[in-house]
Amino acid sequence: MPEVVGRRALPFEPTYQGIETRLLDGDLVGFIVEMQGARDEEDVEDYALCAAAQYTLIRGYGFVRHVRTRVAEEAGLWRADAVYTISPALPSGPTNIDAEVTVEDCKARGIPTV
């Protein structure tokens, strides 16, 4: 039986290609991020979340809620198109993200933000 390798054991040498931010409507914000060297979709989704969390803090808000993320990879370039809502107070719902805690985690992991 072949040995299963966890994603943390895979080589990871990312090159972060940039972040595009789009205010869609009021508290709804879109982010497009691109990177090379991702292990899988999770790496590029994390990059988008880091961008959203920092943007939230820049706007003086404290919380982020994930709406959707679309990920594609072509010739080694990973791209995520993600949408989040941002909020100054803890919104209702099970998927709220504390922006300040997330940005600190991103910094510790070496993932750039806005």
Side-chain angles (χ1 to χ4, degrees):
M1 177 175 267
E3 183 179 340
V4 176
V5 177
R7 77 184 296 276
R8 290 186 187 262
L10 296 174
F12 185 49
E13 296 180 16
T15 303
Y16 298 98
Q17 303 288 315
I19 300 166
E20 179 185 327
T21 304
R22 300 164 293 149
L23 183 59
L24 301 174
D25 184 34
D27 64 351
L28 195 62
V29 185
F31 300 88
I32 296 176
V33 298
E34 293 181 340
M35 68 182 290
Q36 293 182 320
R39 294 168 288 201
D40 55 27
E41 290 183 2
E42 189 175 328
D43 289 330
V44 73
E45 289 170 353
D46 287 349
Y47 185 24
L49 174 58
C50 290
Q54 182 65 56
Y55 179 84
T56 300
L57 295 179
I58 290 169
R59 293 285 307 268
Y61 292 1
F63 298 92
V64 180
R65 183 182 306 161
H66 180 253
V67 176
R68 66 123 177 104
T69 302
R70 295 182 185 131
V71 175
E73 184 268 332
E74 185 175 329
L77 179 65
W78 289 82
R79 182 177 198 194
D81 178 356
V83 176
Y84 291 86
T85 59
I86 61 175
S87 172
L90 184 64
S92 62
T95 58
N96 298 312
I97 301 160
D98 183 311
E100 189 172 341
V101 170
T102 300
V103 167
E104 289 305 314
D105 179 61
C106 295
K107 288 178 183 177
R109 295 169 52 200
I111 302 173
T113 59
V114 174

